[in-house]
Amino acid sequence: MLSGMTGIQIGIFSSVFGVGLGFASLIGYVRWKRWNQQLQTWEGFAKTRGWSFMARSGFMYSAGTMEMKGRYAGRSITVETEHRGFGRYFHIVTIVRHGLGNGFPREVAIRPETLDDTVLRLFGTKDEDIGDASLDNALDLRNVTPKARAILLSPGMRQPLLDLARAFETFSIENGVLTVTVVAVPRTPLEMYELLKPVRELVDAARDTLGDTG
């Protein structure tokens, strides 16, 4: 290719190639620095709590994945990252899973109310209500038994549930396990605390309300 090019063309080609290589190197450095900051934060956070930590390196400039496992309030917790999508739709999410104890009703399913749910209400399709306007408007509730209704309406559980709905666009409670998904990866201890605060408050409320740590 270069043999058929003039000196000027070769110079232009070299300049463009050099700029491209420099730009790619800069992007790679930024991603590498961000990845190392995340690694230090997650590993340090896990270490101070006696949790396990595992990281898998990414390919070239791509970020890897991380996972922490441990226990909080006597119940298992997992915090991990996951790659989703491809190309321009590629993104990394952080997933938190935390058990709510043996006393939390396994049959009830909870997720945040969405715009689609609001539209469906207009056509007569709706989830179950429990008699509290704030909770009914914030949450999509399914399979609510009398026992589950009493637990959800208890003074200690109501506010943490509302705070959870305000903090996260995507979460679910199924089979007694809270699962939260956010399109972000904590890079500092403060960001990790902010991510886990609503989760921790709900777990504490469930423990205090139900009186079990299983």
Side-chain angles (χ1 to χ4, degrees):
M1 176 182 175
L2 294 178
S3 60
M5 298 174 64
T6 66
I8 295 177
Q9 289 174 324
I10 293 175
I12 294 174
F13 175 81
S14 299
S15 298
V16 172
F17 180 79
V19 170
L21 182 61
F23 185 68
S25 299
L26 179 60
I27 292 177
Y29 173 75
V30 171
R31 290 180 176 176
W32 174 83
K33 188 174 182 180
R34 181 185 298 143
W35 166 246
N36 276 274
Q37 185 179 13
Q38 291 170 345
L39 276 177
Q40 293 175 14
T41 293
W42 283 57
E43 187 172 15
F45 196 91
K47 185 177 181 180
T48 57
R49 285 155 183 77
W51 297 356
S52 65
F53 172 76
M54 181 174 63
R56 301 177 183 87
S57 300
F59 177 71
M60 295 183 68
Y61 295 144
S62 65
T65 58
M66 297 174 290
E67 179 185 76
M68 296 188 295
K69 286 186 176 182
R71 296 185 71 81
Y72 173 78
R75 300 165 187 170
S76 62
I77 180 172
T78 300
V79 187
E80 61 183 335
T81 61
E82 183 178 291
H83 293 178
R84 293 186 177 177
F86 298 94
R88 60 186 295 186
Y89 301 105
F90 173 82
H91 59 282
I92 304 176
V93 299
T94 300
I95 305 169
V96 183
R97 295 184 180 90
H98 207 312
L100 296 178
N102 295 326
F104 196 90
R106 292 294 192 268
E107 67 279 0
V108 68
I110 304 173
R111 64 178 180 83
E113 192 86 4
T114 65
L115 181 59
D116 290 341
D117 297 322
T118 303
V119 173
L120 288 174
R121 281 177 179 265
L122 299 177
F123 293 92
T125 303
K126 56 179 294 186
D127 61 319
E128 300 173 40
D129 290 337
I130 59 175
D132 182 292
S134 296
L135 288 174
D136 290 334
N137 290 331
L139 303 174
D140 182 290
L141 302 159
R142 308 285 174 173
N143 307 321
V144 181
T145 61
K147 176 185 177 182
R149 179 178 286 104
I151 291 174
L152 299 178
L153 290 174
S154 62
M157 289 291 292
R158 180 181 182 275
Q159 193 58 51
L161 282 168
L162 289 174
D163 291 343
L164 190 75
R166 295 189 185 104
F168 303 115
E169 293 184 2
T170 305
F171 72 85
S172 67
I173 299 176
E174 296 182 78
N175 197 31
V177 177
L178 168 64
T179 302
V180 170
T181 304
V182 295
V183 187
V185 179
R187 285 191 288 166
T188 67
L190 179 59
E191 290 178 357
M192 184 68 77
Y193 279 118
E194 290 299 316
L195 170 66
L196 296 180
K197 181 180 178 182
V199 175
R200 186 184 67 246
E201 290 177 347
L202 182 63
V203 171
D204 289 341
R207 177 195 57 195
D208 295 342
T209 300
L210 302 173
D212 76 290
T213 57

